Amino acid sequence: MADRQKTIGVLTGGGDVPGLNPALKTLVARASESGYRVVGIRRGWGGLLGYNRDDPESWEKAVMPLDRHAVRTVDRSGGTFLHTSRTNPGKVAAGDVPVFLRGADFDPAVSGTHDFTQHILANLEHLGIDVLIPIGGDDTLSYAERLNREGVHIVAIPKTMDNDVFGTDYCIGFSTAVTRSVNFIHNLRTSAGSHERIAVVELFGRNSGETSLISAYLAGVDRALISEVPFDVEKLSLLLQEDKKGNRSNYAMVTVSEGASMVGGQIVEYGQEDAYGHKKLGGIGVVVSEAVKRLTGSHIIYQQLSYLMRSGAPDSLDLMVAYNYANMTMDLISEGMSGRMVAMQGGTYRHIPISTIMQGEKRVDVAELYDSVEYRPRVRHVLGKPMFLY
């Protein structure tokens, strides 16, 4: 009897970033060359949660077969054609439990979460998936690490424009997010200078202020507020007044991480917690703008870049990393390895145990790269540092 064709499952979870589709295309192309069957899982972990083994008519809503024809043109656009979600099958709120998983005693009004990991494991077996490739940030990959401990063969790819997955210097999506931010910041100078205002630019970055720091560094922004260092808004206002007066065009600019907070204050968040315990962030830029206007008397331009940072096609660096991470992943699978995450360390491609992501938090090296007194990047000594300084 011939050996069963080996099946690879792939999913994308969390926020979309440029580079996902090129990575998916490369994975499918390599898998096809090696004789593997590929199953694309729709909407991240949500696809596996919503897969009803007893209802064949519903399967195409959760999974799709992938071959060269299916992915032929996907790399021409940003985002992920498999779609995505922030579902955590290990912590599903009562209201999010699929109807077919609700037993006779199920009460959606009862608070708390449900762990459907056994359902996920059964679905992976039903789909015949031998190796699962999750592409995501620390939230998505934390559940992948859980499945790895449950015995699922995992080879993971890190992606997040925050670049904050522990264990790797680089995640797919970061370069494009910074490139977009730098371009938008420079474009905003025309209005800030024309109207002689202080421009406050809010950037994505929950726990790590790397996008704010690096974007400010590359765009030559006057001040940068990052998630790791609480700021004194009165001191910030004085600094921005000095920057504005010292500028012949009479304007100043400051970038703000969405996870930044004032001294003694809290991060600005709203809405219900998601399956990973996070509320939505956004609005600290408004708080900063109103406070700076009140303290300086200057008119403000407030710009929240948010999803503009992660939209559109990837830049060349994200294309390079997406292709290479995908090829490394297929190399590992061909070698029979699992429980790994592809990574970059010190500018070199590597692979590490997926458990590494649970062993720490990746944050800005404040002592090396940030001036906590002047609220601005402080990059002086780069000898021996990797390209993105981490």
Side-chain angles (χ1 to χ4, degrees):
M1 182 177 178
D3 292 339
R4 180 179 66 83
Q5 185 181 27
K6 193 168 187 177
T7 298
I8 295 171
V10 59
L11 63 83
T12 55
D16 62 293
V17 299
L20 289 173
N21 282 338
L24 291 167
K25 180 175 180 177
T26 303
L27 287 169
V28 173
R30 280 287 307 276
S32 297
E33 290 174 2
S34 302
Y36 298 121
R37 169 176 169 261
V38 183
V39 173
I41 299 165
R42 299 177 185 269
R43 297 181 297 281
W45 297 120
L48 282 177
L49 179 67
Y51 183 81
N52 185 351
R53 298 184 299 278
D54 299 322
D55 182 13
E57 292 185 0
S58 70
W59 293 351
E60 66 179 17
K61 296 179 181 179
V63 298
M64 62 185 298
L66 296 180
D67 55 21
R68 284 180 174 274
H69 178 73
V71 299
R72 186 176 66 85
T73 62
V74 299
D75 58 330
R76 300 176 189 176
S77 61
T80 166
F81 79 96
L82 285 179
H83 307 295
T84 185
S85 73
R86 297 189 184 277
T87 302
N88 180 352
K91 294 181 179 180
V92 183
D96 296 328
V97 175
V99 173
F100 72 91
L101 290 176
R102 301 181 180 190
D105 59 346
F106 181 82
D107 184 355
V110 176
S111 61
T113 60
H114 302 261
D115 186 350
F116 287 105
T117 298
Q118 292 306 310
H119 169 67
I120 300 300
L121 293 172
N123 282 348
L124 291 171
E125 183 177 0
H126 187 263
L127 289 165
I129 292 176
D130 299 289
V131 181
L132 183 62
I133 305 173
I135 309 176
D138 50 2
D139 287 338
T140 298
L141 299 187
S142 69
Y143 188 71
E145 192 273 338
R146 161 80 184 277
L147 290 183
N148 178 68
R149 286 186 278 114
E150 296 283 352
V152 178
H153 291 200
I154 299 283
V155 180
I157 298 177
K159 72 87 208 157
T160 168
M161 65 176 189
D162 292 350
N163 205 36
D164 61 353
V165 174
F166 187 77
T168 181
D169 297 340
Y170 193 82
C171 302
I172 296 172
F174 178 64
S175 176
T176 307
V178 170
T179 298
R180 293 265 194 282
S181 300
V182 169
N183 289 340
F184 282 125
I185 288 167
H186 283 318
N187 290 341
L188 196 59
R189 290 183 185 278
T190 59
S191 292
S194 296
H195 296 276
E196 301 176 274
R197 297 184 178 183
I198 294 174
V200 179
V201 182
E202 183 178 330
L203 305 174
F204 274 151
R206 174 179 291 274
N207 298 312
S208 172
E210 191 173 354
T211 51
S212 176
L213 177 78
I214 299 298
S215 297
Y217 175 53
L218 298 181
V221 171
D222 300 299
R223 309 290 162 175
L225 305 179
I226 62 176
S227 307
E228 292 82 354
V229 180
F231 62 93
D232 181 329
V233 73
E234 293 187 357
K235 183 171 76 170
L236 173 68
S237 297
L238 291 174
L239 292 171
L240 288 171
Q241 278 184 306
E242 294 175 3
D243 296 331
K244 190 169 182 285
K245 290 178 182 177
N247 185 336
R248 292 177 60 184
S249 295
N250 197 33
Y251 75 91
M253 304 189 82
V254 55
T255 59
V256 186
S257 292
E258 63 175 351
S261 61
M262 293 186 188
V263 173
Q266 297 179 334
I267 62 174
V268 178
E269 54 186 2
Y270 60 94
Q272 296 294 318
E273 290 185 353
D274 65 17
Y276 295 94
H278 304 313
K279 292 184 177 181
K280 290 185 178 295
L281 289 183
I284 184 61
V286 173
V287 175
V288 171
S289 298
E290 293 176 347
V292 170
K293 180 178 180 179
R294 174 174 53 83
L295 291 167
T296 66
S298 173
H299 288 292
I300 305 294
I301 292 177
Y302 165 61
Q303 184 64 59
Q304 186 182 46
L305 293 187
S306 60
Y307 290 97
L308 291 173
M309 297 171 61
R310 67 176 2 141
S311 60
D315 65 12
S316 296
L317 181 57
D318 269 325
L319 274 176
M320 176 76 76
V321 176
Y323 290 149
N324 291 343
Y325 274 178
N327 278 313
M328 287 174 61
T329 298
M330 290 309 304
D331 286 342
L332 292 174
I333 291 174
S334 296
E335 294 166 9
M337 301 190 70
S338 67
R340 313 298 293 178
M341 181 181 79
V342 296
M344 190 178 296
Q345 294 180 342
T348 301
Y349 290 102
R350 303 180 184 278
H351 58 88
I352 60 177
I354 191 172
S355 59
T356 304
I357 68 171
M358 310 298 291
Q359 297 173 5
E361 297 179 332
K362 185 166 182 271
R363 300 292 182 262
V364 167
D365 186 341
V366 174
E368 278 288 307
L369 301 173
Y370 187 69
D371 189 329
S372 300
V373 176
E374 297 292 326
Y375 302 144
R376 59 175 30 149
R378 181 182 59 190
V379 180
R380 296 290 186 269
H381 308 294
V382 299
L383 184 64
K385 283 188 168 57
M387 181 171 60
F388 274 103
L389 308 178
Y390 284 79

